[in-house]
Amino acid sequence: MSGIEWNEETVPTLGRVFLRHVIDHMRGHSKSTVRFGKTGQGIMPNYQVIFPNGVTRTLRGSSHDTFEQADAFDEERISRPFSLAEIHSSYDKA
């Protein structure tokens, strides 16, 4: 594990293109959250979007396509949840 900690300082390093995909996958739901994987290089982390109805969608960071092998990620290898507002703020800082 890379040991990367996702927070308000590190999320903007993902860049605008990556974060735009994340925002799109959150589908504009203000109560959706996203959690980023903490393994790898921290360049294109896998992530999961949790919708207000409790549905979780796991996505590959490299393609932003559905991560077929996982319904959810290991709790010890994933960040805290970030709100749509926090992701918009990170996008603006990127």
Side-chain angles (χ1 to χ4, degrees):
M1 184 160 46
S2 70
I4 188 157
E5 283 299 320
W6 295 112
N7 56 47
E8 53 281 336
E9 294 174 10
T10 56
V11 171
T13 67
L14 292 170
R16 285 183 165 230
V17 172
F18 187 93
L19 292 172
R20 171 51 51 198
H21 284 287
V22 173
I23 289 167
D24 290 346
H25 282 288
M26 293 177 84
R27 299 183 184 158
H29 294 292
S30 63
K31 296 191 185 218
S32 291
T33 59
V34 64
R35 299 175 76 186
F36 298 102
K38 298 196 298 188
T39 60
Q41 301 291 319
I43 299 167
M44 295 183 290
N46 296 328
Y47 58 99
Q48 66 183 24
V49 175
I50 302 97
F51 295 103
N53 64 359
V55 171
T56 299
R57 183 166 183 216
T58 55
L59 299 132
R60 291 188 178 280
S62 58
S63 64
H64 301 277
D65 291 331
T66 301
F67 194 119
E68 300 287 341
Q69 294 94 341
D71 292 330
F73 297 125
D74 182 338
E75 288 293 320
E76 293 183 19
R77 295 181 175 193
I78 195 161
S79 72
R80 70 164 179 87
F82 291 91
S83 68
L84 181 60
E86 288 175 302
I87 298 301
H88 275 291
S89 176
S90 292
Y91 177 86
D92 291 341
K93 292 176 186 174

